[in-house]
Amino acid sequence: MECHIQIFLDNTWVDCAAITVQTLGKNPAIGSAVFEYDLDYAFDAKSQPVSLAYPVDAVRHVLDEWPAFLYDLIPQGNGRKYLLSQLKIADGPSADFPLICAGAFNPIGRIRVREATEYFFQHIDRHDPQGMDQGFTLEDILEKSETFIERMLVHGMLAAGTTGVQGAAPKYLLTKDIRGLWHADGAVPDESAAEHFIVKLPRGKAEADRKLLRNEAAYMRVAKALGIRTYGTVAHHDDMLFVPRFDRIVQFGKVSRLHQESAASIAGVVGFDARPTQFDLLSALRHVVANKTAETIEFLKRDVLNIAMRNTDNHARNTAVQIVEGAIQLTPLFDFAPMYMDPEGISRAARWYHPETGRELTQWADVIQCLNFESDESIAIVKALRDFGAALLELNAHMEAAGVDRDVIEYLQMPIAVQTRQLMELEV
């Protein structure tokens, strides 16, 4: 089985690489794969990598497993369910490659799969395209009007949840045009686009699902107030969360698509079941980011907040890097919410397991000691974390101002106190 990767460069999509996979049994991850850049692309001075793990070269990479970045492109959640029904195939690892070839037509970032784009246009051709460029209002979205649902189904295959972004919650990828009207992402040309959004819906129909989504908007305001890297303003309207996309930049009538890649891909994690440690992820990230110290501090602060505010959904694809003006850095924070209240019960996935003993470390002093950085860097990191501990003294006030629910604030008092104390007791 083969698929072809395209990348968005100089305002156009370009064929750049091919991947051939051979599956063994029911788990394709144990099958071999061949990854190679197109030769013309490899020798083009303007070429850019599809993954930071695979710099552009003319080498034929014969691999024992799939390239890890492929798993950033596989539809999950409602988008996966929708495509499985369209393809009439059973779920499981053996469905991953067909899902890539049908669903990776508009993923987050700047790469896509050519076969998925062809499948998408075949889907469009089966429907009447009349009125697809007219757009719809915010009221149409909030009311889930018949016009909105129909156009999302026809143009974006999004009525049951987008295929282009991962995660369990139903989502839409929407573009707001220069007239202020909304479209399924890809239904409006780049020169007419003004803003791009991920619109999240509650994961289920329970009150806890709606409460969780409402508080996610407040959590993002808290993170911004504490100096965590964020982007734009996350807005909550009628059980919908409007999240500005930071993988796209609109300037002068053009849309730039930024390289975005998960920490799981950077760390070479194949499949969805593996659980790398926080040490594994941080080590992999430090190998690619431009400013190791600054990004390490950002990574650690985010984990402090995850623990303090009980965002238990910290799997390796909820952390990512992007390339901004040639520099590699952590993306703005995303999927930051009080996931402890999720009805399905989500446990913390990535933990600080000691690299040698395998024992979980729960004290930041022990984590810092195991990181074993050079003295100057360790001092800078400890000072930054101590300052962050002092900032956490104002966390209750920030939560109040951001609109976090009162019962959530009360529930968080103990983990906040523990994290604050640990950070402020760190010794240089």
Side-chain angles (χ1 to χ4, degrees), residues 117-415:
T117 305
E118 294 167 352
Y119 180 88
F120 170 70
F121 285 119
Q122 291 171 4
H123 173 83
I124 294 297
D125 288 343
R126 293 198 299 269
H127 298 82
D128 182 3
Q130 185 175 358
M132 292 305 300
D133 59 347
Q134 292 181 3
F136 34 83
T137 66
L138 180 61
E139 289 71 25
D140 290 329
I141 301 173
L142 299 180
E143 295 172 2
K144 301 182 183 67
S145 70
E146 182 179 352
T147 300
F148 170 70
I149 295 300
E150 175 65 17
R151 291 184 191 170
M152 296 302 285
L153 172 64
V154 173
H155 197 98
M157 296 194 292
L158 301 175
T162 177
T163 67
V165 61
Q166 295 184 332
K171 303 176 183 73
Y172 299 125
L173 292 180
L174 299 181
T175 299
K176 191 176 183 180
D177 70 19
I178 55 179
R179 301 171 298 167
L181 295 176
W182 299 75
H183 306 260
D185 191 48
V188 62
D190 281 358
E191 56 267 24
S192 298
E195 298 177 89
H196 300 85
F197 291 84
I198 297 173
V199 179
K200 300 173 68 172
L201 283 68
R203 290 163 63 100
K205 297 181 179 180
E207 172 58 29
D209 294 303
R210 294 190 291 272
K211 181 182 181 71
L212 197 158
L213 196 68
R214 181 176 67 250
N215 278 277
E216 181 171 345
Y219 263 48
M220 292 300 294
R221 290 191 286 270
V222 171
K224 183 176 183 179
L226 286 169
I228 299 298
R229 185 178 300 150
T230 58
Y231 180 82
T233 300
V234 176
H236 181 263
H237 300 290
D238 295 346
D239 288 338
M240 286 188 176
L241 198 69
F242 288 72
V243 182
R245 288 178 62 174
F246 44 74
D247 64 318
R248 296 190 181 181
I249 298 175
V250 181
Q251 287 182 321
F252 312 116
K254 293 184 178 181
V255 177
S256 297
R257 290 163 171 81
L258 304 183
H259 178 93
Q260 186 162 313
E261 188 170 357
S262 73
S265 177
I266 300 297
V269 177
V270 174
F272 295 106
D273 296 329
R275 292 198 170 192
T277 72
Q278 290 288 67
F279 287 109
D280 295 331
L281 296 178
L282 180 56
S283 176
L285 292 168
R286 283 173 59 86
H287 276 92
V288 299
V289 295
N291 188 325
K292 290 179 171 55
T293 302
E295 299 308 302
T296 297
I297 291 170
E298 178 75 12
F299 182 87
L300 294 173
K301 285 182 178 180
R302 293 183 187 189
D303 203 42
V304 168
L305 273 190
N306 278 340
I307 298 170
M309 298 181 69
R310 301 291 290 134
N311 176 33
T312 53
D313 193 17
N314 75 326
H315 63 78
R317 287 184 172 80
N318 273 350
T319 297
V321 299
Q322 61 182 180
I323 301 178
V324 181
E325 297 180 349
I328 302 170
Q329 63 183 34
L330 288 170
T331 68
L333 184 68
F334 61 93
D335 286 351
F336 180 55
M339 294 304 294
Y340 74 88
M341 68 173 65
D342 188 277
E344 296 182 6
I346 296 177
S347 62
R348 186 169 154 86
R351 299 171 182 254
W352 296 99
Y353 290 113
H354 193 288
E356 296 179 2
T357 68
R359 183 178 180 181
E360 183 177 3
L361 303 179
T362 59
Q363 300 291 317
W364 285 111
D366 295 333
V367 171
I368 299 300
Q369 184 176 8
C370 277
L371 290 174
N372 196 28
F373 296 147
E374 294 291 335
S375 177
D376 288 348
E377 185 175 20
S378 290
I379 291 172
I381 290 172
V382 168
K383 287 182 176 179
L385 289 180
R386 287 177 61 179
D387 290 344
F388 194 58
L392 292 183
L393 294 172
E394 303 298 322
L395 183 50
N396 282 344
H398 290 312
M399 290 192 292
E400 290 275 6
V404 177
D405 287 358
R406 167 50 56 183
D407 62 317
V408 174
I409 296 176
E410 293 175 355
Y411 178 84
L412 298 178
Q413 291 308 294
M414 183 174 294

Side-chain angles (χ1 to χ4, degrees), residues 24-35:
L24 298 175
K26 295 182 179 180
N27 187 352
I30 64 174
S32 60
V34 175
F35 170 80

Side-chain angles (χ1 to χ4, degrees), residues 415-428:
I416 290 173
V418 170
Q419 294 303 299
T420 303
R421 175 183 54 78
Q422 284 194 27
L423 295 188
M424 295 186 70
E425 290 179 354
L426 288 175
E427 296 182 357
V428 177

